[in-house]
Amino acid sequence: MDLFLGIDGGGSRTRVVLMDGHEVELGRMEGTATGLDKSSVNDSVEEIEMLCGKVLGGIESSKVNLCAGLAGAGDTAIKKSLENAIQELGIAKSVTVRTDAEVTFMDAFGLDEPGILLIAGTGSTALGRGLNGSKRVGGWGSIIGDEGSGYRIGLESLRSVIKTQDGRMSSTSLLTEVLGAVGLEAPRDLVAWVSSAKKSEVAALANSVCRLANEGEKTSSFIVGKAMDDLVVHVQTLVEHLGPWTSSPQIVLHGGLIDSSGPLHHDLISSMKQLDCVIFEVKVDGARGACRMAACIQNAEQNRSNLGVFP
């Protein structure tokens, strides 16, 4: 029986799951980030090799079909480079690379169910499927995208601290909170810190910002409010472009900021009431979705059919 190895690699951590053809989980491991925002292909592949080796435990590659969903793997050239590099590891007979959002969508909605997946963790993006096909909104990376993400919230908190240093903003508790979180004494020290900080380290500041916003701190409240507005626009764009809908579209919220335990979960649901959608409270697993993607790709190849991607 063939086995399916699924990888979900984001900007903060990576999950690897091994399943059989009946979707029985045979092994699971978790490691550091393999998303490509600030990681090289080689760094990502090294972490993947280590995690997969532990999960597989010597299982013959001839039995394994691998699908890796990695943040930042949307570019065709990068995707091909990753596929070749992972194939050279010799751990699987077939290797496919997709984005982390695509494999998570697979776990939430399968191959043909309509719905919208909104992701907001270290990064952000939204995928949808409706009568008018499939569409992605966002997911353009930390420099020109990631609106509403933990990284963007963290970055805006750093910018606010620098403005306070200049006197362009009044000093608030956000300044001491941010400096304390990164272990620095003065705002000017942030320039050197952020130039070498990992994306996940900047995104980690979002927890402090969200907590201060809940306590009523004005600058933090503004930053968080803007983030939620951006996320609502992601969903609204998909609702409008993929309609008409036969019923209110189902929305799945995923990622550390907005899933059921995330600090923005309940406020975001309230903000989306205007969209006439239904929040689908289900726990999705990108690594499991990658296993399912690997199984579907194998089936598609056997039947010489095509498994599309999100534009």
Side-chain angles (χ1 to χ4, degrees):
M1 180 183 293
D2 276 3
L3 301 177
F4 302 97
L5 188 63
I7 302 168
D8 177 22
S12 299
R13 58 186 173 181
T14 299
R15 295 185 180 92
V16 176
V17 171
L18 180 67
M19 297 173 64
D20 66 16
H22 301 295
E23 296 196 354
V24 175
E25 188 172 308
L26 304 176
R28 178 181 287 264
M29 284 293 297
E30 186 170 309
T32 60
T34 51
L36 301 173
D37 186 71
K38 283 193 175 181
S39 299
S40 69
V41 169
N42 289 338
D43 289 340
S44 296
V45 172
E46 285 179 7
E47 182 70 7
I48 287 170
E49 181 179 24
M50 184 272 292
L51 293 173
C52 291
K54 290 182 177 181
V55 170
L56 290 170
I59 293 174
E60 294 180 10
S61 61
S62 60
K63 298 179 180 179
V64 181
N65 301 275
L66 183 152
C67 178
L70 304 176
D75 179 81
T76 302
I78 291 175
K79 186 180 299 184
K80 188 63 178 177
S81 176
L82 280 164
E83 287 178 344
N84 290 338
I86 297 173
Q87 189 77 62
E88 289 175 2
L89 297 177
I91 58 177
K93 65 177 180 180
S94 66
V95 174
T96 302
V97 172
R98 296 289 177 94
T99 66
D100 56 336
E102 286 178 283
V103 297
T104 304
F105 191 92
M106 169 64 82
D107 191 56
F109 298 108
L111 278 176
D112 50 20
E113 289 184 25
I116 293 172
L117 170 69
L118 176 64
I119 300 176
T122 302
S124 68
T125 191
L127 301 181
R129 180 191 292 136
L131 293 178
N132 289 333
S134 301
K135 182 176 175 62
R136 183 192 73 175
V137 171
W140 298 108
S142 59
I143 297 177
I144 59 175
D146 277 350
E147 300 92 341
S149 69
Y151 179 85
R152 179 61 68 88
I153 290 174
L155 190 62
E156 290 301 324
S157 73
L158 296 174
R159 288 171 173 162
S160 296
V161 169
I162 293 301
K163 289 178 181 178
T164 298
Q165 167 74 9
D166 287 347
R168 288 180 282 165
M169 292 179 60
S170 300
S171 181
T172 71
S173 56
L174 180 60
L175 185 149
T176 54
E177 187 75 28
V178 168
L179 292 178
V182 299
L184 299 176
E185 294 185 0
R188 61 174 56 90
D189 297 329
L190 289 172
V191 177
W193 180 84
V194 76
S195 67
S196 60
K198 296 179 181 178
K199 187 177 178 181
S200 58
E201 291 175 318
V202 176
L205 295 172
N207 291 323
S208 297
V209 179
C210 290
R211 177 173 52 77
L212 289 175
N214 286 333
E215 295 172 0
E217 197 278 311
K218 290 185 179 179
T219 302
S220 299
S221 297
F222 177 81
I223 293 172
V224 170
K226 178 64 167 60
M228 286 199 293
D229 288 345
D230 285 334
L231 294 176
V232 170
V233 169
H234 278 61
V235 176
Q236 183 177 12
T237 302
L238 290 173
V239 170
E240 292 175 352
H241 282 256
L242 296 176
W245 300 82
T246 56
S247 59
S248 297
Q250 290 188 329
I251 315 295
V252 171
L253 305 180
H254 180 67
L257 279 181
I258 62 174
D259 64 17
S260 59
S261 60
L264 300 185
H265 181 76
H266 296 293
D267 288 340
L268 182 61
I269 289 175
S270 297
S271 297
M272 290 199 299
K273 286 182 179 178
Q274 58 180 299
L275 301 181
D276 186 30
C277 58
V278 176
I279 304 299
F280 189 27
E281 295 281 10
V282 60
K283 189 72 173 178
V284 291
D285 183 342
R288 182 175 60 197
C291 288
R292 291 173 173 170
M293 181 78 78
C296 289
I297 290 171
Q298 183 200 42
N299 183 62
E301 289 175 350
Q302 290 175 346
N303 293 293
R304 298 183 180 181
S305 56
N306 179 53
L307 186 67
V309 298
F310 282 86

